[in-house]
Structure formats: C-alpha cells, structure tokens
Amino acid sequence: MLWSSESSKKAIPMTPTSYERSSSLDPVSHNSNDASIGSINGSINGTSRHMASGLTIQERASQLFQDAEILAPMVRASTTPLRSLALSYGCDLVYSEEIIDRAITSTERVYNETMGTIGTIDYRRKMESFSPNVQRRMATNIDPFHSAIPVIRIDPELERSKLIFQLGTGSANLALPAALTVQNDVSGIDINMGCPKKFSVSGGMGSALLEDLPRACDIVNVLARNVNVPVSCKIRLLEDDTKTVHFVTALVKAGASAIAIHGREVGDMAQQPAQLDRLVGVVKLLKSSSSIGVPIIVNGDMYARNDMVNLRRRSGADAVMLARPSLYNTSIFRKPLHHRVDHDGEAYYESQEEETRYGYDSKLLLSKTQVIRDYLEHAKAYDGYVKNVKYVVCEMMTNRRTPSNLSSFMPAEKFSRGQTIADVCKCTSIESLCNIWDVSRSSVDSLASQADSGKESVGAVDMHNYDDRYFLDPEALRKEQKEKDNGPGKETEMASACNDAFINSGRSIRGSDRILEKMGKRLPNSVSYNNQICAYVKNGNIDEALDLLSAVEAKCVETGNVAIRPNVSTYTLVIKALSKSKVNPQRTQDALDRIDALNDINNSDSLRIDVDCACYNAVMDAWGWSSAPDKVQRANKLFHRMLELYKSESNLQVKPNIVTLNSLLNACAFARVKGGEGHAAALLEVATNAFEMFANGEYGSANGLTYFTMLKIFSKFLPMNDDRTEKMKNTFYQCCENGCLDKKVFRQLEKGMPVNELKLLLGDGLSIGSAGNVRMDKHKKTIG
C-alpha cells in the first residue's frame, strides 16, 4: 500500500508555493521561466545563484549526489510508478526518462489533486500544440482534462527534492526554455549525451553530442548560467581514456555540476560486459585532476549491492547509477540496517564476509513476483500508461539483456502462478495486469479511463513505438525494422558516401576511416546523412548537397523511416548556403517550400520539421539581393507568413527579429521602380508598415542599419519636398533616441535632404566631411 488511509489522499487546495521541498532546495518563485534571459544573466553573480541557506549551485550538487544510489533515466521505464517504487525501496535520487526539449516547452503545468497524498504536478501538452485533427478528437472527449497523457507527472511530496529531469536536446536555444519550464519542480537538469538510439541521435541529441564538443559545451553553459538548479550530463566512454577525460573537463569548465559516465562506448551491445576497468581508470584520472571538483557518478553492470560498493571503492566515484539492474530487481536499492558511511563519504561494511552477503543472492532482495506486484500498485496509484507499464513488467520478468558474463548468476525466475511474458502482452489495461498478478484494488483508485477501456488516450504520444513483439519475437521485429529502415546493402552505400564527403570537404582521411568503421557497427541515420550534406555545403558543392537532400526526403516519405529524416539544422545550413551564393533566389525559396511539402506529406506531429526565423531571413536576403522584379512582394509574403505562424503559435521559432526587418527593408531599398508613382508608393507602404511594427519593441529594437535603410528608401521613393524632409527628420530623431547614430546615417541624410534643412537639423556645430565623417565644432552651439 502507498497510503495508510483513505483520508490521507484528500485533495489539498494548492497554489504553486503551497507545498515545500523536504530539503532546503526550494526555489523562491515558480515564474522564473517568464523572466528574460537577459535579466537572469544579469544576476548570475548575485544572490540568485545561491540557496536561502547560502549554498552555491555546485555545493547543492555535491550534497545531492554524494554517496547516492540513483535510478537511471530509461525510456518508457523511468516514469512516476518506477521512480516512486525505487524511492520506497531506498533509492536516493531518481532520473526521469529522457524528455525532448520541444515536448516539455509545449506543455502547461497542471495541479492534479486526484493523485498522490497532496496531488501531483502534471506537465500536459497544450491543446493548441496538437494537430487540428487531434484537437477535434480531444474536444469530443467527455473528460478533456485526462484526454492527454502527461509528458511528465511529478509527485511533489515524494520526488521534488530527489528528482533529476533528463533533457534530450541538441540546441542551447531549445534547451533553455525547456529547462526553465520545469526547474522549480525538480532538483536538477541532466543533459542526455549518451543515448545511442535513433530517436535521439537523429535530432543531434544524445550520443551525437559526444562528437560535437563545442555544441555540447554551449548547451551546458547556457543552462548553467540561467537555471537555478544544478546542471549535470550523462555521457559514455569515448574511444580512448584521454578523450573521455578531455570531454568531461570541457563540460565542467562550461558549467556542469556533476557528470555520470556509462562504462560502455557508443556501439557496444547491451549483452556485452561494461568496460569497468576503463571506467575505473577514467574516474581516477578525473578525481586526480585539480580542475575537476564535481561529483562523478559511475554507471554499468552493478547487479548486486557489493558490485556498487566495489566499483565505488575501486574508482573513487561519488555515486552509482543503476539502469537495467533496477529493472531486473528494483529491490536492489534496499539497504542493510548497518549500512554506514565513513568520514570520507564512502559506504563500507565491517568485513569482506559481510559485504559478500549482499551479492546476487542477497537476502535483502525481494522476490521478483513481489517487486512486480509492488510496481503495479504504484502504476495504479499514479495512473500509469498501460504500454509503459507492460514494458516494465516484461523487463522485470526476463534476464534477456543481462551481460553474458553475469547471466549465470541471475537465472529467469519462476513466478507464483506461472505467469509468462505472453500473458502480460495480452493485457490491454492496468486492471487486467493486476488481475494476473493477484494485485488487489489499491486504496487509491486509478483514473484508468483509457486503461480500463483498453483504448489509448487520443492525446497519447508513444514516441518510441512499443510493440509486444519486442519481448515475444525480438529477432523478427529487429529484422523487420532493419529492412524497413535501410534495405539490403545500405550500410556499405552509406559508408562510401560519407567517405567521399569527408574527402571532398578536405577533412582528414582518418575522419572518413572512422565513419567507415562506425558504419560497420550500426545502421546509418540522419546524423550520417546530415554530416555528408554539411560536408558538401562547406566545400561549396551545393548542388550535390541538394541532390542528397532530395534523395533522403524521398526515401523518408517512401519508407516512413524517421531515423533518416533531415533535421532543421541541415535545412538551415543548405538555405543559408544558397542565399549567400546569390545565384538564383528561387532555389533558396524552393528549399524552404520543400519543408512545408514534407510536413504536409508526413501529417504527423512527431515528424514535423519546424524551421526557425534564420531560415526565413536567409530566403528574404536571397530575394533582397537579387534582381527579380517581384522581390519585394516575395520578401513581404515571407514576412507575413512568419507573423502568421508566430501569432497562431503554429511555430514559435519563426518570431521575426530585427534581421527580418532589415532583410525586408533591404529588398525595398534596392528594388527597381517600374510603373511610376503607384509602384513607388506600394514599395514605400511595405517598408513603412514593417518599420512601424517594430516601433513597440515586440520583435526587437531597430539598429543603425535599420534607420540608414529607411532613410535610403525615403530618398529613393519620395520626391524632394517637405513631406520627404519631415519623414527623414522624424527617422533621424528616432535614431538619436535609440542611440543608433553612425556614419552611414549621416551620409544618407546628406544625400536625401536639402542643404539648408540639413544644417538646421544638425546645428551649426555639426558638419559632414567629404568622407562622410561627422565633425563637431565645440565652440558653436548646436540646435539638432
């Protein structure tokens, strides 16, 4: 039982600050995500970087991770039911499963009083973030509050001082708003830099960051400077110890407060024993370095309590993290009553004999039947998503992913009623799972609206495509996925292509050899294709980049293979390269349009590619510098498309900025006037309307280039008369008020205003030299 009485679950009216952490880690406000980055940066060295108790972020991290036994982040598994179960057994810290930055940013924070002892905090996707079809289905749901499974559910009483939120991200710009969204409900933010799965690396996340240290450090640095909780990273061993130490050192310098290291490299199979000797060596090197003063957490193949103790003793690590061992038997977190910590913070036992009592047959371990029953109690209490719950139960029942050198110590267990994985896979609800495991109705009834009916919530997003064959017939499922994703011989073709790309881009042969070697270990994904496209672009081979991009798009649509889908970074790179080439703006426009076409074909939120304003700005620049007669109309159409997407919240990444305005004004300033005064008036109207939209600062502040271009437009499209002079004066005054005066502004004034008006405007003490420079006579009074 999770609660001792019915009265203990009584709903408690709660504001965001009506409950407190069980430790002193509680931030002051729940509105930090509303603050601007600039205001947060401004207080970085002030008291905002310290707790009420006076501890720094790093001191908090050291307390948080010291001597901790941690539940690792695991896809589908590390949700509220397993996290709460692990904590009930004695786990010190729990990680959430990896949650993608865009997924958490598009949520709203909802207090759910029907869960837990005082309610839970649910982060649910906003209605407007769903596609129109899904919104219509949700609108017809009898209970729309429960129509969408939360992206993450947090029990504040149980977890808030013990929960680390793991963030999947490949961009600092996307990571920061995501972290700010949840920072006040968690004790830390962890950046996933170790997951090798396709759904992670295809977006430049997970282990893809291990190959891009500058980007990894940029993400860490931006978060560390702007969030009020420790920022940590979970990585894997790199190809040699020196590179691993260098990578960790760089992350710590960037602001990481803790580092977790998995004792495997990318490409190592789960059944392959972890490289614990290498892991021990790396941790010793880090601990001996004066530049590393952060907690180091070790992860890999600790299936018994004495495994944890031995690895910590050998390496000097501060904490241990358990993934598959915690699924094999979550009661591994149960500690002996005499378990103590010495003055150095190291757990120890009285003797070697005592330590070995807590091996693979430790009496502290509960039977797997009991663990599964306890887990189902928690799943009912927190209304677990039935597919995730089935997955966890199946993992608890099997030892299929146990490393080969340990499988003999952990045989498959016979269960009390002869339950099988096939029995579990037949279940369509939490209730049916409880029935086959003899779990009585919990004192807290499950909401179970979609679970008891056997239907999925219309708002559910099963990003990892759970399939019962994952356990029932894994070989057939892997074979099917491999054929669907790549087809025969694709690995060799991809390796050759990447090899050619490296050679053509002038990069080292060693780099191409590494790609070839890695292609032999795993299937190609979007990172492989993106690397090749980037190599073409950087070498100036834009046509080859476009051809490959078209081929990958077609393959993605034809096969439905998400793993090879180009990401937004690839499109941005190609579009910027096309724009800078100044050859044909239509090619740049086509590259942008093909993204919309691909989104229409996919018709799926999970496959959608949302470009940012940089893409649109590059296309507007391409039109602006071209000689196309309709370039202003083209650029203006793009500008209003950005406004439409942003204001409707269809894509918040395309919010226009000052670069957008300058691109549009540039198109107007260099347009050819055809058709007399009517055409000139139309061009002037486009420029003036856009300029006025930026007056209130919502889209950014005008700069010197903005005012120079507006003055140029007035000079070009208005005849020399009082109206033109007045407009140029007003623009000059605005420029002065915003502190944007420069030589170009004065030079344009000289070209566009009558001499007498210019002298009145600048005053007797100001004059313009022949080179356009501004001169001031200090002895004369100015009237500007």
Side-chain angles (χ1 to χ4, degrees), residues 419-641:
Q419 296 96 330
T420 65
I421 288 178
D423 295 332
V424 172
C425 289
K426 291 176 184 177
C427 295
T428 58
S429 67
I430 303 293
E431 198 65 34
S432 57
L433 281 168
C434 289
N435 288 338
I436 68 172
W437 288 97
D438 294 327
V439 177
S440 59
R441 180 171 294 277
S442 171
S443 60
V444 179
D445 290 333
S446 168
L447 295 175
S449 56
Q450 88 277 357
D452 290 337
S453 66
K455 297 179 180 179
E456 295 181 30
S457 164
V458 295
V461 179
D462 188 13
M463 19 179 323
H464 309 304
N465 299 320
Y466 170 81
D467 191 316
D468 285 333
R469 290 179 298 164
Y470 189 69
F471 295 98
L472 297 177
D473 195 356
E475 288 300 325
L477 181 61
R478 274 196 293 269
K479 182 178 179 181
E480 178 184 312
Q481 289 175 336
K482 182 176 179 179
E483 292 175 351
K484 179 180 179 181
D485 289 351
N486 301 282
K490 198 65 179 179
E491 297 94 331
T492 304
E493 176 187 335
M494 195 58 230
S496 300
C498 283
N499 187 32
D500 291 341
F502 267 90
I503 294 172
N504 289 338
S505 64
R507 298 177 68 175
S508 66
I509 297 298
R510 185 170 178 272
S512 62
D513 288 341
R514 285 180 59 195
I515 290 293
L516 285 167
E517 181 183 352
K518 290 182 179 181
M519 283 300 153
K521 292 183 180 180
R522 62 177 189 244
L523 298 177
N525 51 37
S526 69
V527 175
S528 305
Y529 286 110
N530 290 343
N531 284 341
Q532 184 184 355
I533 292 170
C534 291
Y536 279 138
V537 170
K538 290 176 181 178
N539 197 40
N541 299 326
I542 301 178
D543 289 336
E544 288 86 344
L546 283 171
D547 290 342
L548 180 57
L549 185 60
S550 299
V552 175
E553 288 172 342
K555 189 70 174 177
C556 181
V557 173
E558 177 187 347
T559 63
N561 181 8
V562 184
I564 65 172
R565 176 172 57 92
N567 59 33
V568 66
S569 299
T570 309
Y571 284 104
T572 303
L573 185 69
V574 171
I575 288 173
K576 284 184 175 180
L578 286 168
S579 178
K580 290 179 181 178
S581 68
K582 299 181 181 179
V583 176
N584 183 355
Q586 187 59 53
R587 295 181 72 195
T588 316
Q589 179 73 56
D590 291 343
L592 181 64
D593 292 342
R594 68 201 299 166
I595 302 175
D596 290 333
L598 197 61
N599 285 337
D600 291 340
I601 294 172
N602 289 326
N603 195 27
S604 169
D605 289 336
S606 62
L607 296 178
R608 184 173 182 81
I609 301 171
D610 287 329
V611 298
D612 56 20
C613 67
C615 280
Y616 278 87
N617 292 345
V619 180
M620 291 175 69
D621 273 337
W623 286 113
W625 290 111
S626 74
S627 57
D630 60 343
K631 66 179 184 179
V632 174
Q633 290 85 343
R634 295 290 200 120
N636 193 40
K637 183 177 180 181
L638 286 168
F639 176 57
H640 285 280
R641 173 64 174 160

Side-chain angles (χ1 to χ4, degrees), residues 728-744:
M728 295 189 76
K729 280 184 180 180
N730 290 335
T731 303
F732 173 73
Y733 292 144
Q734 289 182 42
C735 184
C736 293
E737 289 173 2
N738 291 323
C740 297
L741 284 175
D742 61 20
K743 182 171 66 176
K744 290 185 295 185

Side-chain angles (χ1 to χ4, degrees), residues 143-212:
D143 188 4
F145 180 80
H146 299 128
S147 62
I149 294 173
V151 173
I152 184 172
R153 171 167 287 156
I154 300 171
D155 186 330
E157 183 179 54
L158 182 66
E159 296 188 284
R160 198 161 167 234
S161 63
K162 300 178 179 180
L163 174 61
I164 307 297
F165 179 87
Q166 190 179 60
L167 180 64
T169 187
S171 164
N173 290 336
L174 297 177
L176 182 56
L180 292 175
T181 300
V182 297
Q183 66 172 341
N184 291 324
D185 289 314
V186 299
S187 293
I189 304 291
D190 184 78
I191 303 167
N192 180 1
M193 297 187 183
C195 181
K197 300 296 184 183
K198 291 182 180 179
F199 62 78
S200 190
V201 297
S202 63
M205 302 177 290
S207 61
L209 291 172
L210 295 178
E211 300 177 2
D212 194 341

Side-chain angles (χ1 to χ4, degrees), residues 112 285 465 550-551 761:
N112 184 351
L285 287 172
N465 299 320
S550 299
L761 179 66

Side-chain angles (χ1 to χ4, degrees), residues 253-272:
K253 287 182 179 178
S257 296
I259 303 290
I261 308 175
H262 184 186
R264 288 182 173 83
E265 295 182 54
V266 175
D268 287 351
M269 300 298 293
Q271 293 80 7
Q272 180 180 337

Side-chain angles (χ1 to χ4, degrees), residues 658-672:
I658 191 58
V659 178
T660 312
L661 175 61
N662 287 340
S663 297
L664 179 58
L665 295 182
N666 181 70
C668 295
F670 291 92
R672 295 181 180 178

